Amino acid sequence: MPVRIRLTRKGAKKSPFYRVVVADSEAPRDGRFIEVLGTYDPRTDPVEVKIKQERLEYWIGQGAKPSDTVRSLIKKAVSS
């Protein structure tokens, strides 16, 4: 069961809000997940990214691979 750290979409039509989740790589985008690590709100100015650093480090240590988008969000969260 390869595990990925990726985004799942929430919010209304044309008003997206995302959760950063740990999920099985074969699960659908908005399907089952293991744990919520944080949130990403692209509608605010500046963009709001909140990620639980301890849990992120734990899952990466366990072998979870972040998606390309989540990898860039992690860089934004760490720099701010």
Side-chain angles (χ1 to χ4, degrees):
M1 175 172 108
V3 178
R4 300 280 301 191
I5 301 171
R6 63 184 185 192
L7 296 176
T8 183
R9 189 182 192 277
K10 297 291 179 186
K13 182 178 180 182
K14 296 191 179 188
S15 182
F17 179 81
Y18 299 91
R19 287 183 180 166
V20 179
V21 299
V22 177
D24 180 13
S25 63
E26 296 179 5
R29 180 191 71 180
D30 295 335
R32 290 181 66 150
F33 58 87
I34 300 168
E35 182 178 355
V36 177
L37 297 182
T39 60
Y40 165 57
D41 189 356
R43 295 175 296 137
T44 60
D45 188 30
V47 171
E48 184 178 330
V49 179
K50 294 181 184 177
I51 297 177
K52 299 175 191 171
Q53 291 294 332
E54 312 85 40
R55 297 304 293 166
L56 176 68
E57 292 168 8
Y58 168 79
W59 281 107
I60 290 176
Q62 294 295 316
K65 303 256 189 251
S67 67
D68 294 337
T69 305
V70 171
R71 191 174 297 117
S72 69
L73 290 176
I74 291 169
K75 288 179 186 176
K76 286 182 186 179
V78 170
S79 66
S80 59

